[in-house]
Amino acid sequence: MGEHLKLKHALACVAIVAASACSPAVTGETSDQTSASLEPTTPASRATPSASPTRATTTATPTTQPAAATWLTVVEVVDGDTIKVQRGATTETVRLIGLDTPETKDPRKGVQCYGPEASNQAHKLLDGRDVRLEIDPSQGTVDKYGRALAYVWFGDGQLFNEVMIRAGFGREYTYDTHYRYRDRFIAAQEAARSAKAGLWKACAVTPKPDPKAEPAPKPKPKPAPKATDPRFGTCKEAIAAGYGPYQRGVDPEYDWYRDRDGDGVVCER
């Protein structure tokens, strides 16, 4: 009987030891499972993507001036629409395309209204300044007087011909055929006229109709009297043959040609 009690006591001790030996293992497993349950459950493929870096967009500023052209120094301002530049050892006279300023030195016309102001402005903007010239194939390279025909650009991208028209120091002028910047110059002239800038306020100027909106009717042919010059298709042809100019109310040839600038004279040289 005593041995039986000892055996039961020994078995109980073994059970207690076994239970205590297994307990840490269970506790560790539970801890690991608990930790695992706290980890993010979102799959990597469904993670929210980070914002991509913003790329700066650069827009190039368009320019129409001839960047490859040579810089030339203005050595003389003849008047508002004619200058002289130094090209190497040569002085070159340049007649500006699309710009007509009032005369100051033409003996046939005398000093016209706003002529001195236009000349002074040209001196102010151009004397001693470096400029670039742009040739327009539609106008040729030189006129019949040997003057180069060109647009004059400043280094800041402004076009001198247009600047003078927009400020009211000159008018848009189409000699014979449309030129590259004609629409821009007409728009500049309309802006100056609307603002009554320069000569549009100082001088009694009869506005010219916009040739795009309402073309001027061609004059009806008249029989030429015996004392008149030969008749040509255009002023350019008449001038090339050595004829002109013709004044309104004085020369019957005036009615044969279109007075583009409305000054009462056609086929001016």
Side-chain angles (χ1 to χ4, degrees):
M1 183 71 176
E3 291 183 2
H4 180 71
L5 291 173
K6 289 181 181 180
L7 179 60
K8 287 180 69 177
H9 180 74
L11 290 174
C13 290
V14 171
I16 291 172
V17 171
S20 62
C22 294
S23 179
V26 172
T27 303
E29 182 179 353
T30 304
S31 176
D32 290 343
Q33 290 175 351
T34 303
S35 298
S37 67
L38 298 177
E39 293 297 324
T41 58
T42 303
S45 61
R46 296 179 59 187
T48 303
S50 59
S52 59
T54 303
R55 296 182 180 178
T57 304
T58 302
T59 303
T61 302
T63 177
T64 54
Q65 72 166 309
T70 304
W71 287 101
L72 303 174
T73 301
V74 178
V75 295
E76 182 182 345
V77 172
V78 179
D79 56 23
D81 53 36
T82 306
I83 64 174
K84 293 184 180 182
V85 297
Q86 191 69 36
R87 189 185 293 275
T90 305
T91 300
E92 182 176 299
T93 302
V94 182
R95 175 66 170 85
L96 278 64
I97 299 172
L99 168 65
D100 181 45
T101 59
E103 297 292 344
T104 58
K105 298 183 179 181
D106 190 334
R108 299 171 301 172
K109 300 180 180 180
V111 177
Q112 295 182 324
C113 178
Y114 225 66
E117 289 83 352
S119 182
N120 290 340
Q121 181 69 0
H123 278 286
K124 179 180 177 180
L125 296 178
L126 294 174
D127 278 347
R129 191 162 182 177
D130 290 339
V131 297
R132 281 174 170 153
L133 303 185
E134 179 184 2
I135 306 303
D136 190 336
S138 70
Q139 304 300 299
T141 55
V142 296
D143 64 8
K144 69 174 186 174
Y145 301 108
R147 300 176 299 185
L149 298 172
Y151 307 103
V152 173
W153 289 93
F154 294 131
D156 61 3
Q158 292 191 83
L159 183 53
F160 172 77
N161 316 45
E162 183 178 16
V163 168
M164 291 288 281
I165 295 172
R166 188 173 296 278
F169 289 102
R171 302 181 182 89
E172 183 279 327
Y173 177 62
T174 303
Y175 174 66
D176 189 56
T177 58
H178 288 199
Y179 52 90
R180 182 173 299 148
Y181 301 113
R182 183 172 184 269
D183 290 345
R184 281 176 56 170
F185 290 6
I186 289 176
Q189 176 170 279
E190 292 308 310
R193 192 202 309 270
S194 298
K196 298 187 182 302
L199 60 81
W200 299 103
K201 180 179 181 180
C203 309
V205 178
T206 302
K208 293 192 302 179
D210 185 346
K212 295 186 299 182
E214 185 179 352
K218 294 182 179 180
K220 296 180 180 180
K222 296 180 180 180
K226 295 181 180 179
T228 59
D229 291 339
R231 184 169 183 167
F232 297 89
T234 65
C235 266
K236 187 175 182 180
E237 295 174 357
I239 293 172
Y243 296 97
Y246 305 115
Q247 297 183 12
R248 180 172 53 208
V250 177
D251 303 305
E253 294 89 345
Y254 173 87
D255 293 329
W256 298 347
Y257 306 100
R258 182 178 176 185
D259 189 354
R260 294 181 182 275
D261 55 9
D263 64 351
V265 181
V266 296
C267 302
E268 311 127 334
R269 303 187 183 189

